[in-house]
Amino acid sequence: MEYGLIGEKLGHSYSKDIHEMLADYTYDLCPLSRDEFKSFMSEHTFKAINVTIPYKQDVIPYLDEIDDNAKSIGAVNTIVNKDGKLCGHNTDFSGFMYMLKKHNIAVEGKKCVVLGDGGASKAVVAVLKKMGAREVIIVDIRKTESAITYEECFAHHTDAEFIANTSPVGMYPKCDASPVDLRKFPNCSAVADVIYNPLETKLVAQAKELDMIGVNGLEMLVAQALYAVEFFLDTKLDESKINEVYQTIYKAKDIR
């Protein structure tokens, strides 16, 4: 494999379609078990790869360099092999920021809740802080140093004004699930879900029903892919390609 995506389960991924629309190379999907992941990263015979759940943090010890953006986030989703040297980047940050700006979602001075505490969550939190959020609360299924539980969230933080879902709850094939009931958050005006399969999660559908802005993760996926291609090929692409590819993929995959 020269270019592609590694992760544990990739059957739901649209990344191959997106990359092959953005660039002139074959992009392979490479699902890896934990043991296969270790061998793959040790051999590193690829030219450039993207990384998804659950390896965005696990790849870091294998890297020779990591840029400041990825370092501050603590997660890597893009790796370029430069003459045997592995260089790590994070384009989830730019992809999520693109999505918020595209939909005029302002978080400055607002209380934000981020569901999930994995690699994508770290990029989303970094964006929210960069864009001036007043407070960012991370929620996960278990309490950690960085995250509170859902029970704590419902007890103390239902005044959140923006919610981002970075957890896998609601992802294909378990599309009937939703991480929270948005009726518990009467002050919330916008919801962004990084899940892109299904195109409209139960969470985003409920947001729209409640007259909130509801955004799916496909735009973020396409945007982060474009920024990854720029690293892969050491080039600059026109950002207008993001919407062009997004519209093409959306029409092809739309289940309505």
Side-chain angles (χ1 to χ4, degrees):
M1 181 175 81
E2 291 190 334
Y3 301 96
L5 173 69
I6 65 167
E8 200 166 44
K9 296 174 183 175
L10 303 178
H12 65 283
S13 179
Y14 299 162
S15 292
K16 179 177 175 66
D17 297 336
I18 293 166
H19 273 260
E20 291 181 358
M21 280 188 236
L22 290 169
D24 186 22
Y25 52 62
T26 299
Y27 187 90
D28 297 310
L29 302 180
C30 185
L32 299 172
S33 67
R34 290 279 176 182
D35 287 339
E36 290 169 333
F37 165 76
K38 291 172 187 173
S39 301
F40 180 90
M41 289 306 300
S42 297
E43 293 164 8
H44 58 77
T45 55
F46 55 83
K47 287 184 177 177
I49 57 169
N50 288 125
V51 184
T52 190
I53 297 170
Y55 301 129
K56 290 183 182 183
Q57 291 160 280
D58 294 354
V59 295
I60 293 174
Y62 295 91
L63 306 180
D64 299 292
E65 293 176 8
I66 178 170
D67 70 19
D68 291 341
N69 189 32
K71 199 178 292 181
S72 65
I73 293 167
V76 165
N77 79 323
T78 300
I79 301 172
V80 179
N81 187 343
K82 294 182 180 175
D83 301 319
K85 253 183 149 181
L86 299 186
C87 306
H89 309 277
N90 189 305
T91 64
D92 284 335
F93 179 95
S94 304
F96 188 70
M97 183 174 281
Y98 171 90
M99 186 165 76
L100 294 188
K101 289 181 175 178
K102 173 81 186 305
H103 292 274
N104 298 311
I105 298 173
V107 298
E108 186 174 359
K110 292 184 178 177
K111 181 173 186 174
C112 303
V113 161
V114 177
L115 308 175
D117 193 25
S121 170
K122 288 171 172 49
V124 166
V125 169
V127 170
L128 296 176
K129 289 180 177 177
K130 175 85 171 173
M131 295 180 74
R134 172 171 55 85
E135 189 177 1
V136 180
I137 308 296
I138 304 168
V139 184
D140 204 9
I141 51 175
R142 60 183 64 85
K143 189 178 182 69
T144 64
E145 284 184 17
S146 56
I148 64 169
T149 63
Y150 280 86
E151 289 74 17
E152 287 176 277
C153 177
F154 298 144
H156 305 294
H157 302 291
T158 53
D159 58 341
E161 297 157 279
F162 170 77
I163 295 174
N165 179 43
T166 71
S167 81
V169 179
M171 184 188 292
Y172 177 85
K174 298 180 180 178
C175 305
D176 287 336
S178 182
V180 295
D181 183 348
L182 292 172
R183 289 173 295 185
K184 294 180 179 178
F185 299 87
N187 296 345
C188 185
S189 60
V191 173
D193 198 332
V194 304
I195 292 173
Y196 56 86
N197 187 357
L199 289 176
E200 184 170 274
T201 58
K202 193 172 179 182
L203 182 71
V204 169
Q206 188 186 32
K208 292 177 179 177
E209 286 167 11
L210 297 173
D211 291 325
M212 303 174 187
I213 297 171
V215 185
N216 71 64
L218 184 58
E219 279 174 307
M220 176 180 172
L221 180 72
V222 176
Q224 69 81 20
L226 179 134
Y227 303 131
V229 171
E230 292 183 335
F231 282 120
F232 282 15
L233 303 180
D234 192 22
T235 189
K236 196 74 184 162
L237 300 178
D238 191 328
E239 277 196 344
S240 65
K241 290 282 290 180
I242 296 173
N243 192 54
E244 184 184 314
V245 172
Y246 166 78
Q247 294 294 342
T248 302
I249 296 284
Y250 192 90
K251 286 168 187 168
K253 306 287 185 183
D254 195 356
I255 57 174
R256 287 178 299 173

